[in-house]
Amino acid sequence: MLAIYCVLLIGSALEAYNLAFIPIQWLVQTGALITAVHIGFTRCLYTVPGGKSMKWLFYWAVAVIFWNLIFNDYSRLMPSNATTPYLVFVFLRLLNMLSFIATFHIVYWLLINGYRDALIKWTVIIGSIIAVAAIYIYLAQIYNLPEPHRNRIGTNGDEQITVFSYAFHRAIGTFREPSHLSAWLAVPLFLSLAYRQSLLNIHTTLITASILLTGSLTGILGSALGFTGAIIITRPYKLKNIKILLGLAMTLLISLGIFYSIAVSRAAEEVDIFRVVSSRMSPILFEGGLQRSNRDYIYEYLANTTIPLVGPGLGNSNLLFSQYLDKDTVVSFISLYVNYLLSLGVVGLALICFFLLSPITRALKMKRLHHNWSFISILAAYLAWLVMLGVGSEELTFVFASIFALLTYETHCSEPAKGGE
């Protein structure tokens, strides 16, 4: 099961590739579902605390979609450049939710059966491999070295883009977007702090350097806010943790050194990651919030749309959004919260928020874990993803399912697991 988890984790990072004509990510989702069913029939799936609200959300999503299939015809809104037929398009959204539920059950099963340390270890090792691959691909794109052929359609509905209008060339790794790479790496980044606590952590250094090379405000700011939030919640003011924080400062300096030695500017001036990030943050902080970001069209649409109680269903809301923007491809909301609000209504948003906050409310009560650096790292990764789900991803992901299961396990490990689900 641990080997299967590792294979699925690697597959979740190969976003830019198809196997034959099928995206590897779809195969990962299907593989997670099959694995969870296998565990349920041959062993026992444990009840994951807080998981029931996600299942009710899935039932709600299915009910809303079937209602709209019967009484509305959203298939007529499918853009001309859509990559799948309408029913497949809708089914893939349900598959994403179902595979997410399956994944946190698989991870929780491994944790309950004593594979916590091994799971963290291999997540970090695989994360480091993906980070090294991202650095190599970055250099390959600059110096015309060979790299794996990207055979999946890009997020714009056309060929994948590897050159961006940005201050410097951005790392994209095995993903279709730099922000997707940085978000995926956030989990192994923080778990590397739990895996190896030393002054020089090679895993943390490589992963941090790769995240910086993406130039992604989502990944950089999300990770920073996640770490800050974990420190505020736990207040780990002990000498041992101060030494760890000093080690993190050293690791960040080395990562910055790697970044500045590799990053290639697209302008006459030298690369300055702090200036680039601050220039993108300034309009958001001082000139009107997210409406002043490069995603202003999403919040303009949200402001001009009536908030539904039920919603048109997952996928259908994207079709309405594409029609509003007059696009010939399916447009993403790039936010889980906006997607669920406009797809499944106020009810759907309430259910997903209840699910996402359940481990946090438990973590606030677990005072005995607040000086445990491993717990702090896991909490930081989870909080970072809560931020990134708001501004970087409209769907739940494999790595987020893993960190949800880890945080849930940490906050319930002193309690006996319940079987029979």
Side-chain angles (χ1 to χ4, degrees), residues 336-409:
L336 180 83
Y337 312 124
V338 174
N339 184 27
Y340 276 50
L341 175 62
L342 296 183
S343 300
L344 303 175
V346 175
V347 175
L349 181 64
L351 285 170
I352 191 64
C353 287
F354 183 83
F355 168 77
L356 295 174
L357 292 176
S358 59
I360 303 298
T361 55
R362 179 72 177 176
L364 290 169
K365 301 175 183 177
M366 303 298 288
K367 301 294 184 182
R368 63 181 181 80
L369 292 174
H370 285 192
H371 297 297
N372 183 310
W373 187 252
S374 178
F375 171 76
I376 296 169
S377 303
I378 292 169
L379 177 61
Y382 188 80
L383 293 175
W385 257 97
L386 290 189
V387 175
M388 293 185 290
L389 286 172
V391 293
S393 175
E394 73 168 17
E395 291 187 321
L396 298 161
T397 67
F398 186 94
V399 288
F400 180 64
S402 301
I403 203 63
F404 168 81
L406 264 167
L407 182 60
T408 301
Y409 173 78

Side-chain angles (χ1 to χ4, degrees), residues 8 28-38 95 98-99 102-103 106:
L8 294 175
V28 168
Q29 292 173 344
T30 305
L33 187 57
I34 293 172
T35 303
V37 171
H38 171 72
L95 175 63
L98 205 54
S99 69
T103 301
I106 294 168

Side-chain angles (χ1 to χ4, degrees), residues 85-129:
Y86 174 72
L87 290 179
V88 175
F89 169 76
V90 171
F91 170 76
L92 287 173
R93 269 97 191 129
L94 294 177
L95 175 63
N96 172 262
M97 291 184 69
L98 205 54
S99 69
F100 176 80
I101 295 170
T103 301
F104 69 64
H105 273 93
I106 294 168
V107 175
Y108 198 74
W109 185 91
L110 285 167
L111 296 171
I112 290 293
N113 283 279
Y115 290 94
R116 175 192 178 276
D117 292 344
L119 186 137
I120 290 175
K121 171 186 173 182
W122 283 105
T123 301
V124 172
I125 290 173
I126 292 169
S128 297
I129 292 171

